[in-house]
Amino acid sequence: MIEQLNQTLFLLINATPDSPEWLIKLAIFIAKDLINIVPLLIAILWLWGQRRHMSAQRAVVIKTALAILISVSLSWIIGHSFPHDRPFVTGFGYNFLHHAPDDSYPSDHGTVIFTFALAFLFWHRVWSGVVLFVIGCAIAWSRVYLGVHWPLDMLGGLLVGLCSCLLAQMAWNWFGVQLHARLHQAYRFCFALPIRKGWVRD
């Protein structure tokens, strides 16, 4: 029943040889490159901002990083415990993006971007989380559209992201203050020159 639903949704979304070439190219850009917003925003939040907000911003960065680390680990465990072939491996639908024939569920891209979006929704600002969630949906659509994932792979990534944010919050409650202090100390040592020059925040 679930597999049939997965296949039906896939066929509704998946591109075909008759799909517009510009839309396929747009989907490839979204599927491959839009995920780079994750390290970019993490670096911006850690390095720059108003001085009075830096401690709070870095707390968001640390909690987000914890959540992503947990989510990627959970995704790996689930993928190896319950292996599921990608659509193109089974010869189902059409494929427009080269990809290794590894485990499909849950989607690594979906896991990371949805974890990131939920982290910002919970710990940063609601509007930023909503914007990132929309980006996450676009990435999820593109990877199904191009034939490298099933729709439920993306739902799995969302659920893993939600669980990981909850676990990250628990971890933060246990040792977050100490971790924040240690990481800030290491940052000040490694970035002493840029900090002294005023290129980045202390």
Side-chain angles (χ1 to χ4, degrees):
M1 181 68 179
I2 293 178
E3 192 61 30
Q4 185 177 3
L5 174 62
N6 208 16
Q7 292 178 358
T8 301
L9 291 174
F10 177 83
L11 291 176
L12 288 173
I13 301 170
N14 185 218
T16 71
D18 295 327
S19 298
E21 185 178 352
W22 68 267
L23 188 55
I24 291 175
K25 288 183 178 179
L26 176 62
I28 290 173
F29 167 76
I30 294 171
K32 292 177 63 177
D33 299 323
L34 211 53
I35 195 72
N36 292 325
I37 196 172
V38 172
L40 179 63
L41 284 182
I42 284 178
I44 288 172
L45 278 179
W46 185 274
L47 296 174
W48 298 286
Q50 295 182 8
R51 191 173 298 278
R52 66 178 183 274
H53 294 154
M54 290 310 299
S55 180
Q57 284 184 193
R58 287 173 179 164
V60 171
V61 169
I62 296 169
K63 286 195 280 187
T64 301
L66 280 173
I68 290 175
L69 181 62
I70 294 169
S71 68
V72 170
S73 300
L74 287 177
S75 177
W76 186 88
I77 292 170
I78 294 170
H80 284 76
S81 300
F82 307 98
H84 193 280
D85 287 334
R86 295 177 183 271
F88 63 86
V89 174
T90 63
F92 199 84
Y94 298 94
N95 175 245
F96 296 90
L97 182 65
H98 176 73
H99 201 289
D102 52 1
D103 297 322
S104 177
Y105 182 89
S107 163
D108 290 337
H109 276 73
T111 296
V112 170
I113 194 61
F114 283 128
T115 301
F116 194 61
L118 289 169
F120 272 62
L121 187 65
F122 295 149
W123 303 318
H124 190 242
R125 296 181 179 88
V126 172
W127 68 264
S128 65
V130 170
V131 170
L132 288 169
F133 194 83
V134 170
I135 292 173
C137 289
I139 291 174
W141 162 80
S142 69
R143 297 186 75 80
V144 177
Y145 184 75
L146 296 171
V148 294
H149 272 293
W150 302 98
L152 293 188
D153 296 344
M154 299 303 170
L155 178 60
L158 174 61
L159 294 177
V160 169
L162 180 59
C163 293
S164 300
C165 285
L166 295 175
L167 291 172
Q169 183 62 56
M170 292 170 62
W172 178 262
N173 292 341
W174 291 333
F175 55 81
V177 174
Q178 299 92 326
L179 182 60
H180 190 297
R182 294 281 181 86
L183 289 175
H184 186 248
Q185 185 179 26
Y187 162 72
R188 292 185 68 185
F189 176 78
C190 295
F191 283 73
L193 179 60
I195 291 171
R196 191 163 59 248
K197 295 286 187 179
W199 298 336
V200 295
R201 287 292 187 189
D202 183 3

